[in-house]
């Protein structure tokens, strides 16, 4: 059997009294376009943070291409491109400087990092940002910059937390195309999203997370079965509460 692009084994994270992730195991096949879906607070961000070296697990292990993320973080980070939820650092830099800087941090020569930055800004429709610092970008511009930073060093596995949130439809289309091309070239994409329609159209594999556990995983067709993914998701996690409620709304 080929080594999974990413393997999460018995991950656990507890915050105070909250078990954010409880014994979560998941294999993500090489070359897959993998969607992680789950209701708010299900543990997606916490799992992906532990999987990518951003948050220390209380227990369990994460492997990327067979490399232990926590034992060999620098090797794992060469393979991984990560777009975390929210822009956490370096927002006093301009987007172009930031992308070049991240490329160099990941070992690219300056001229290569600059060339890739220019190409990424072009496809992400960010060529006219000038010297404006990232802190002054719109949410969508910052998200696209973060995506560029995840891709600039040419990773084999890209992990994206909510890549389409706050992004305009044209940019979302560009991002989808970039990610699809990446997968067509043999890369693996792991993304979390609340937009079931997007996940169903884009992802060939999906995992449904609820209360810190994987409750269904497989190909998107297997998980959805004879329903739409949205219907299957509602069946698995419940949570449609409107019947008879909020009758005052709009009256
Ligand atoms: N730093 C933290 N401190 C305390 N509790 C946290 C922290 N991070 C996450 N949690 C809790 O862990 C649980 C899982 O949160 P997480 O952000 O992983 O969920 P999620 O599936 O990504 O949710 P969403 O879809 O709303 O982004 C939630 O109950 C959340 O309140």
């Amino acid at each position: 059997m080929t080594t999974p692009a990413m393997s999460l084994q018995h991950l656990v994270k507890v915050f105070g009294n909250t078990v954010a992730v409880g014994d979560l195991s998941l294999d993500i096949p090489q070359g897959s376009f993998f969607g992680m879906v789950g209701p708010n607070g299900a543990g997606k961000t916490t799992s992906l943070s532990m999987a990518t070296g951003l948050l220390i697990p209380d227990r369990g292990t994460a492997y990327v291409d067979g490399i232990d993320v926590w034992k060999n973080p620098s090797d794992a980070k060469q393979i991984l491109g990560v777009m975390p939820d929210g822009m956490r650092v370096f927002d006093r830099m301009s987007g172009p400087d930031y992308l070049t800087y991240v490329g160099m941090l990941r070992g690219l020569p300056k001229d290569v990092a600059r060339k890739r930055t220019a190409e990424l800004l072009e496809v992400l429709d960010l060529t006219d940002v000038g010297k404006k610092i990232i802190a002054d970008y719109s949410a969508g511009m910052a998200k696209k910059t973060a995506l560029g930073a995840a891709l600039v060093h040419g990773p084999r596995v890209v992990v994206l937390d909510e890549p389409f949130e706050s992004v305009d439809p044209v940019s979302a289309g560009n991002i989808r195309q970039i990610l699809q091309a990446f997968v067509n070239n043999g890369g693996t994409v792991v993304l979390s999203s609340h937009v079931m329609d997007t996940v169903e159209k884009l992802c060939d594999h999906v995992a449904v997370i609820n209360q810190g556990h994987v409750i269904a995983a497989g190909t998107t067709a297997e998980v959805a079965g004879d329903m739409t993914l949205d219907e299957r998701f509602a069946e698995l996690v419940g949570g449609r509460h409107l019947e008879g409620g909020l009758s005052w709304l709009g009256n």
Side-chain angles (χ1 to χ4, degrees), residues 106-203:
R106 293 272 179 264
L108 297 179
K110 191 172 187 176
D111 56 331
V112 176
R114 280 216 170 117
K115 188 162 177 293
R116 288 190 185 183
T117 294
E119 289 174 20
L120 283 165
L121 292 172
E122 180 79 38
V123 293
L124 293 168
D125 203 15
L126 286 171
T127 41
D128 55 359
V129 289
K131 287 275 160 206
K132 192 195 264 194
I133 60 169
I134 295 168
D136 294 338
Y137 282 9
S138 71
M141 290 164 73
K143 183 135 273 186
K144 291 194 285 180
T145 306
L147 175 65
L151 298 176
V152 69
H153 63 295
R156 296 209 295 273
V157 181
V158 175
V159 179
L160 311 151
D161 205 350
E162 292 290 349
F164 303 109
E165 208 173 66
S166 330
V167 172
D168 70 68
V170 173
S171 300
N174 287 347
I175 291 175
R176 277 198 295 274
Q177 274 183 11
I178 294 166
L179 298 178
Q180 194 64 66
F182 176 72
V183 170
N184 293 346
N185 286 333
T188 304
V189 171
V190 186
L191 60 81
S192 77
S193 178
H194 293 115
V195 189
M196 225 52 69
D197 191 44
T198 302
V199 171
E200 188 159 27
K201 283 195 187 120
L202 213 50
C203 298

Side-chain angles (χ1 to χ4, degrees), residues 15 18 20 38-47 85 162 194:
F15 297 108
T18 305
N40 291 131
K44 302 178 296 294
T45 298
T46 307
S47 301
D85 192 20
E162 292 290 349
H194 293 115

